[in-house]
Amino acid sequence: MSAGAADAVAALAGLPGVAEAVDRAREACTALRWHEGLRRRIPEAAAESRVRGAWASSELDGAPLGLDIVRDLIRGAVSWHEPPDPVERVAKGAVAATLETEHVDAMVRTAPRQALARLHVAAAAALLAPADLGRPRAEGEDCRELVDLGPAPGAAEVSARLSALADVLATPGLPVGLVAAVAHAEVATTRPFLRGNGVVARAMERAVVHAGGLDPTGVAVPEVGYTRLGGPAYLGALSAYATGTADGVRLWLIHASDALTTGAAEGGRVAEAVRAGRLG
């Protein structure tokens, strides 16, 4: 991805079934935008979306906490254990990174590396030493996360692919759902950080979907879409993308679009719950 990166991403819409899946996600997000339950209640619904997104992202990273517990942690009704246990360290990062997406909107398109750094600081604060937060892996440093995707690329390849991704994010006119799916997969498969890459990848997708105007309300919950489709399917689709083949990339893009469609439906449930006063 570079000057030709944006063209390459645009061409992905021509893969069989991709344009249709991206359109379904766009239509679902459009329907959510006009949901009657969001009248004068968007901030409340967006806050609940972040609760559910943090819960689902934590689940996908193998750190299950109950949804009500995550909601209570975010609103301060209960506190994390000190020191947090290993599951809580991951969950704490998922919560913090998902909440941080609200604050990186302005830089996702103009300074994506800075956005990634901020998301990583949030995601890995309980996992890494301060000197390792917000910086890509250096030469010789390896990442042992997401091993099902194969060996993590070296630092030079990571740097090149992050630069190419920045070019794509800065290019106007590309389908936002397509860009968000590519951003998610590039972070997850390159694993630029020592820890916390899955959480950062999902948070980056959420931020791109919102900042790009596909889901301007911020109420869709793409993370829940992935959990509903199943953790094995999620890892399988990312593994397919990591092969770099047209079929593998196509499989991921359709999977990610289906997850966003499902996440928009979850946003509709959020809107209904807010309107009815049925949040936990």
Side-chain angles (χ1 to χ4, degrees), residues 25-40 42 176 209-210 212-220 264 267-268 271:
R26 177 181 51 78
E27 290 164 3
C29 288
T30 298
L32 174 60
R33 181 186 312 180
W34 302 111
H35 195 292
E36 288 190 2
L38 295 182
R39 292 182 181 179
R40 298 182 297 278
I42 290 175
V176 175
V209 166
H210 186 205
L214 182 57
D215 173 36
T217 64
V219 178

Coordinates of all heavy atoms in Angstrom, one line a residue, residues 25-40 42 176 209-210 212-220 264 267-268 271:
A25 N -23.3 -3.6 5.0 CA -22.8 -2.9 6.2 C -23.2 -1.4 6.2 O -23.6 -0.9 7.2 CB -21.3 -3.1 6.4
R26 N -23.0 -0.8 5.1 CA -23.3 0.6 5.0 C -24.8 0.9 5.2 O -25.2 1.8 5.9 CB -22.8 1.2 3.6 CG -23.2 2.6 3.4 CD -22.7 3.1 2.0 NE -23.2 2.2 0.9 CZ -24.4 2.2 0.5 NH1 -25.3 3.0 0.9 NH2 -24.7 1.3 -0.5
E27 N -25.6 0.0 4.5 CA -27.0 0.2 4.7 C -27.5 0.0 6.1 O -28.4 0.7 6.6 CB -27.8 -0.8 3.7 CG -27.6 -0.4 2.3 CD -28.0 -1.5 1.3 OE1 -28.4 -2.6 1.8 OE2 -27.8 -1.4 0.1
A28 N -26.9 -1.0 6.8 CA -27.2 -1.3 8.2 C -26.8 -0.1 9.1 O -27.6 0.3 10.0 CB -26.5 -2.5 8.7
C29 N -25.7 0.5 8.8 CA -25.3 1.7 9.6 C -26.2 2.9 9.3 O -26.5 3.7 10.2 CB -23.8 2.0 9.3 SG -22.6 0.8 10.0
T30 N -26.6 3.0 8.1 CA -27.5 4.1 7.7 C -28.8 4.0 8.5 O -29.4 4.9 9.0 CB -27.7 4.2 6.2 OG1 -26.5 4.4 5.6 CG2 -28.7 5.3 5.9
A31 N -29.3 2.7 8.5 CA -30.6 2.5 9.2 C -30.4 2.8 10.7 O -31.3 3.4 11.3 CB -31.0 1.0 9.0
L32 N -29.3 2.5 11.3 CA -29.0 2.7 12.7 C -29.0 4.2 12.9 O -29.5 4.7 13.9 CB -27.7 2.1 13.1 CG -27.2 2.4 14.5 CD1 -28.2 2.0 15.6 CD2 -25.8 1.8 14.8
R33 N -28.4 5.0 12.0 CA -28.3 6.4 12.2 C -29.7 7.1 12.4 O -29.8 8.1 13.2 CB -27.6 7.1 11.0 CG -27.4 8.6 11.0 CD -26.9 9.1 9.7 NE -25.8 8.3 9.2 CZ -25.1 8.6 8.1 NH1 -25.5 9.6 7.3 NH2 -24.1 7.9 7.7
W34 N -30.7 6.5 11.7 CA -32.0 7.1 11.8 C -33.0 6.4 12.8 O -34.2 6.6 12.8 CB -32.6 7.2 10.4 CG -31.8 8.0 9.5 CD1 -31.1 7.5 8.4 CD2 -31.5 9.4 9.5 NE1 -30.4 8.5 7.8 CE2 -30.7 9.7 8.4 CE3 -31.9 10.4 10.4 CZ2 -30.2 11.0 8.2 CZ3 -31.4 11.7 10.1 CH2 -30.6 12.0 9.0
H35 N -32.4 5.6 13.6 CA -33.2 4.8 14.6 C -33.9 5.8 15.5 O -33.3 6.7 16.1 CB -32.3 3.9 15.4 CG -33.0 2.8 16.2 ND1 -33.9 3.1 17.2 CD2 -33.1 1.5 16.0 CE1 -34.4 2.0 17.7 NE2 -33.9 1.0 17.0
E36 N -35.2 5.6 15.7 CA -36.0 6.5 16.5 C -35.5 6.6 18.0 O -35.7 7.6 18.7 CB -37.5 6.2 16.5 CG -38.2 6.5 15.2 CD -39.7 6.3 15.3 OE1 -40.2 6.0 16.4 OE2 -40.3 6.5 14.2
G37 N -34.9 5.5 18.4 CA -34.4 5.4 19.8 C -33.3 6.3 20.1 O -32.9 6.6 21.2
L38 N -32.7 6.9 19.0 CA -31.5 7.7 19.2 C -31.8 9.2 19.3 O -31.0 10.1 19.4 CB -30.5 7.5 18.0 CG -29.9 6.1 18.0 CD1 -28.9 6.0 16.8 CD2 -29.2 5.7 19.3
R39 N -33.1 9.5 19.1 CA -33.5 10.9 19.2 C -33.1 11.5 20.6 O -33.6 11.1 21.6 CB -35.0 11.1 19.0 CG -35.4 10.8 17.6 CD -36.9 11.0 17.4 NE -37.3 10.7 16.0 CZ -38.6 10.8 15.6 NH1 -39.5 11.2 16.4 NH2 -38.9 10.5 14.3
R40 N -32.2 12.5 20.6 CA -31.8 13.1 21.8 C -31.1 12.2 22.8 O -30.9 12.5 24.0 CB -32.9 13.9 22.5 CG -33.5 15.0 21.7 CD -34.7 15.7 22.4 NE -35.8 14.8 22.8 CZ -36.7 14.5 21.9 NH1 -36.7 15.0 20.7 NH2 -37.7 13.7 22.2
I42 N -28.3 10.1 21.7 CA -27.1 9.6 21.1 C -25.9 9.4 22.1 O -25.3 8.4 22.1 CB -26.7 10.4 19.9 CG1 -27.7 10.2 18.8 CG2 -25.2 10.0 19.4 CD1 -27.4 11.0 17.5
V176 N -15.6 3.6 3.5 CA -15.1 3.6 4.9 C -15.1 2.2 5.5 O -14.2 1.8 6.2 CB -16.0 4.5 5.7 CG1 -15.6 4.5 7.2 CG2 -15.9 6.0 5.2
V209 N -14.6 3.7 11.6 CA -16.0 3.6 11.2 C -16.7 4.9 11.7 O -17.5 5.5 11.0 CB -16.6 2.4 11.8 CG1 -18.2 2.4 11.8 CG2 -16.2 1.1 11.1
H210 N -16.3 5.4 12.9 CA -16.9 6.6 13.4 C -16.4 7.8 12.7 O -17.2 8.6 12.2 CB -16.7 6.6 14.9 CG -17.4 7.8 15.6 ND1 -17.0 8.4 16.8 CD2 -18.5 8.5 15.2 CE1 -17.8 9.3 17.1 NE2 -18.7 9.4 16.2
G212 N -14.9 8.2 9.9 CA -15.2 8.3 8.5 C -16.6 8.6 8.2 O -17.0 8.7 7.0
G213 N -17.5 8.6 9.2 CA -18.9 9.0 8.9 C -19.8 7.8 8.6 O -21.0 8.0 8.3
L214 N -19.2 6.6 8.6 CA -20.1 5.5 8.3 C -21.1 5.3 9.5 O -22.2 4.9 9.3 CB -19.2 4.2 8.1 CG -20.0 2.9 7.8 CD1 -20.8 3.1 6.5 CD2 -19.0 1.8 7.6
D215 N -20.6 5.4 10.7 CA -21.4 5.4 11.9 C -21.2 6.6 12.7 O -20.5 6.6 13.7 CB -21.1 4.1 12.7 CG -21.8 4.1 14.1 OD1 -23.0 4.6 14.1 OD2 -21.2 3.7 15.1
P216 N -21.8 7.8 12.3 CA -21.5 9.0 12.9 C -22.0 9.1 14.4 O -21.5 9.9 15.2 CB -22.2 10.1 12.0 CG -23.2 9.3 11.3 CD -22.7 7.9 11.1
T217 N -23.0 8.3 14.7 CA -23.5 8.3 16.1 C -22.5 7.5 17.0 O -22.6 7.8 18.2 CB -24.9 7.6 16.1 OG1 -24.7 6.2 15.8 CG2 -25.8 8.3 15.2
G218 N -21.7 6.6 16.5 CA -20.8 5.8 17.4 C -21.6 4.8 18.2 O -21.1 4.3 19.2
V219 N -22.7 4.4 17.7 CA -23.6 3.4 18.4 C -23.4 2.0 17.9 O -23.7 1.0 18.6 CB -25.1 3.9 18.4 CG1 -26.0 2.9 19.1 CG2 -25.2 5.3 19.0
A220 N -22.9 1.8 16.7 CA -22.7 0.4 16.2 C -21.6 -0.2 17.1 O -20.8 0.4 17.7 CB -22.2 0.5 14.7
A264 N -24.1 -3.2 13.7 CA -25.1 -2.2 13.5 C -26.4 -2.6 14.1 O -27.2 -1.9 14.8 CB -25.3 -1.8 12.1
G267 N -26.2 -2.2 17.7 CA -26.5 -0.8 18.0 C -28.0 -0.5 18.0 O -28.4 0.3 18.8
G268 N -28.8 -1.1 17.2 CA -30.2 -0.9 17.2 C -30.8 -1.4 18.5 O -31.7 -0.8 19.1
A271 N -30.0 1.1 21.1 CA -30.9 2.3 21.0 C -32.3 1.9 21.7 O -32.9 2.8 22.4 CB -31.1 2.7 19.5

